[in-house]
Amino acid sequence: MFEWREFHGEGITKEFRIEAVKLITEENLSLPEAGRRLNVAPSTINNWVKAQKAGRLTDIGKSQRPLTDLEMELYRTKRELAEVKMERDILKKPQRTLRRSRCQVRDD
């Protein structure tokens, strides 16, 4: 199976779209599961499946221009910021302890 890779200036490749559609049509993965595995919105994969059924999957993305170095850096920076915020929020949450389990039970 293939894995999601960073943008390399050309965006999502035709081969990536075809393999994503195969996850749905041949391997019977659900849209949400395929989206999680590929880091792509399930609605996007659903659009690719519909395009494949209509015979237009290879036409998708032809009009998109390659990403500039600045756009790729912005994408990476935004993703890193989101990860750091998520980590910070996890660390902010109070730790729950099992103090109740340490209570002694009396035998009267």
Side-chain angles (χ1 to χ4, degrees):
M1 186 171 109
F2 64 102
E3 295 291 327
W4 172 257
R5 290 184 174 77
E6 294 282 330
F7 286 113
H8 293 289
E10 70 274 358
I12 297 175
T13 64
K14 176 176 62 172
E15 292 79 16
F16 182 84
R17 288 185 194 98
I18 291 170
E19 291 298 320
V21 169
K22 283 182 182 178
L23 287 176
I24 303 299
T25 58
E26 295 176 8
E27 297 185 26
N28 296 323
L29 236 59
S30 69
L31 286 170
E33 178 61 26
R36 277 190 293 276
R37 288 187 184 185
L38 302 175
N39 197 22
V40 175
S43 59
T44 300
I45 299 173
N46 189 38
N47 290 338
W48 296 343
V49 171
K50 289 178 184 178
Q52 174 69 23
K53 289 178 182 177
R56 296 179 289 111
L57 184 60
T58 56
D59 296 337
I60 293 177
K62 283 186 175 179
S63 63
Q64 292 179 340
R65 65 174 174 75
L67 295 175
T68 65
D69 289 339
L70 183 61
E71 290 170 325
M72 287 189 297
E73 180 64 25
L74 178 62
Y75 168 77
R76 283 190 292 270
T77 304
K78 283 183 176 182
R79 190 181 69 214
E80 183 180 345
L81 177 61
E83 288 175 14
V84 169
K85 282 182 175 181
M86 193 168 40
E87 290 170 358
R88 179 204 62 199
D89 291 344
I90 290 170
L91 293 173
K92 274 186 170 181
K93 289 184 180 180
Q95 296 287 329
R96 293 186 181 198
T97 60
L98 299 175
R99 292 184 187 189
R100 291 182 190 163
S101 64
R102 295 182 183 180
C103 294
Q104 295 179 358
V105 178
R106 290 184 172 179
D107 290 334
D108 289 333

